[in-house]
Amino acid sequence: MEFTAPQAGPPRYTVVGSPVGELLLTGDGEALTGLFMLPDAKYVPEIGADWRRDDALFDTVAAQLDEYFAGERSAFDLRLAPRGTDFQRSVWRELTTIPYGRTTSYGAMAASLGSPTASRAVGAANGRNPISIIVPCHRVIAANGALTGYAGGLDKKQRLLGHERGTQLF
């Protein structure tokens, strides 16, 4: 995956179906800027009057998501342009290094980023990840193994982890 800076211009979007519900995909015309689980996820952007629906722009994203949910894809090959602070973007980049089917803790992530006492900050950045599933924030759990916090809902986090571990079929 390639992280780029978001481009100027009107946001583009589409909505696609998935085994975890409808997904709002957003982009800047060059890269994916968001993937939000509808209808109940936190931090879903409001579609503004200047937004343009562009289903064809997201064909590659939709195809890769279909492959992921079918168990045929374990990594994504997309251009990403999440909007956030430098620290948030560093956390989101680190999320992409967690192997498919594996988990890590907030504390382990903080340590790998060189800030071992920043597990709460890592958790906050993880919770604001605008490109769920593809930037796999669902793979981060509490140090004691508990499933904690997920903007798309803990039930969806559990289903995604089960899917990747081969215990949940879609």
Side-chain angles (χ1 to χ4, degrees), residues 54-103:
D54 189 346
D55 299 336
L57 180 67
F58 299 96
D59 282 349
T60 300
V61 178
Q64 289 191 26
L65 285 166
D66 287 345
E67 292 166 0
Y68 168 82
F69 287 117
E72 300 165 355
R73 175 176 289 277
S74 60
F76 294 90
D77 182 22
L78 299 165
R79 292 185 68 200
L80 307 177
R83 289 176 172 86
T85 66
D86 289 343
F87 178 76
Q88 287 172 327
R89 288 172 57 90
S90 71
V91 169
W92 302 335
R93 224 178 253 106
E94 186 70 18
L95 288 170
T96 66
T97 69
I98 305 169
Y100 179 88
R102 304 282 303 271
T103 58

Side-chain angles (χ1 to χ4, degrees), residues 20-143:
V20 293
E22 288 191 323
L23 305 174
L24 170 65
L25 305 177
T26 63
D28 62 11
E30 299 292 324
L32 186 68
T33 59
L35 185 158
F36 304 92
M37 295 180 193
L38 301 176
D40 301 322
K42 296 178 184 177
Y43 315 118
V44 176
E46 190 79 24
I47 296 174
D50 63 330
W51 288 45
R52 295 195 325 225
R53 184 159 185 146
D54 189 346
D55 299 336
L57 180 67
F58 299 96
D59 282 349
T60 300
V61 178
Q64 289 191 26
L65 285 166
D66 287 345
E67 292 166 0
Y68 168 82
F69 287 117
E72 300 165 355
R73 175 176 289 277
S74 60
F76 294 90
D77 182 22
L78 299 165
R79 292 185 68 200
L80 307 177
R83 289 176 172 86
T85 66
D86 289 343
F87 178 76
Q88 287 172 327
R89 288 172 57 90
S90 71
V91 169
W92 302 335
R93 224 178 253 106
E94 186 70 18
L95 288 170
T96 66
T97 69
I98 305 169
Y100 179 88
R102 304 282 303 271
T103 58
T104 192
S105 69
Y106 299 99
M109 278 195 66
S112 70
L113 289 166
S115 301
T117 61
S119 59
R120 286 182 186 262
V122 165
N126 196 54
R128 296 294 290 196
N129 171 22
I131 306 177
S132 64
I133 302 172
I134 293 169
V135 176
C137 51
H138 60 276
R139 296 180 189 156
V140 185
I141 60 174

